[in-house]
Amino acid sequence: METNQTNETWNQPKQENKKIVAGICAILIGGIGVHKFILGYSKEGIIQIILSVVSCGLLGIIPFIEGIIYLTKSDEDFYNTYQVGKRPWF
C-alpha cells in the first residue's frame, strides 16, 4: 500500500485570499478606497479618495464595478491577478 501522494497540499502554507472582503467593501464603501487599502494598494486608495471628493461621489461607480469584478472572478484568478500580479485597477 503506497501512501505517497503526488499532489500533497496538506503541508503547503495557506494563501490568504481577500476576494470577499475587498469585493463587499468596494460595493458598499468603495468611494473611500477601502478595498484598495485591503489589497495593499495605498497609492491607488488615496487616488480613489481624491477622485470621490473632486467628483462629489459621481465616480463611485468605478469601485462598484470593481467590486462586482472581484466577486465574479474565481478565487485562484483573483489571487493571481490582484494579490500576486498586483494589478491595481480593474
Side-chain angles (χ1 to χ4, degrees):
M1 177 180 241
E2 188 174 320
T3 58
N4 292 336
Q5 296 177 353
T6 58
N7 292 332
E8 291 185 18
T9 57
W10 62 272
N11 62 352
Q12 295 176 353
K14 180 157 174 47
Q15 302 166 341
E16 184 179 9
N17 194 341
K18 302 174 184 179
K19 172 184 160 180
I20 302 295
V21 175
I24 291 174
C25 285
I27 290 173
L28 297 178
I29 53 176
I32 57 175
V34 173
H35 62 293
K36 297 293 186 186
F37 292 107
I38 289 172
L39 293 173
Y41 304 131
S42 299
K43 181 174 73 174
E44 289 80 3
I46 292 169
I47 291 170
Q48 185 69 53
I49 293 170
I50 292 170
L51 287 175
S52 290
V53 170
V54 169
S55 71
C56 296
L58 292 177
L59 293 178
I61 191 73
I62 294 172
F64 184 79
I65 293 169
E66 283 183 329
I68 292 171
I69 291 171
Y70 292 169
L71 294 174
T72 56
K73 284 188 174 284
S74 69
D75 289 343
E76 183 179 334
D77 191 27
F78 176 86
Y79 181 80
N80 289 330
T81 304
Y82 298 106
Q83 290 180 252
V84 175
K86 294 291 184 185
R87 183 176 174 195
W89 299 100
F90 291 95

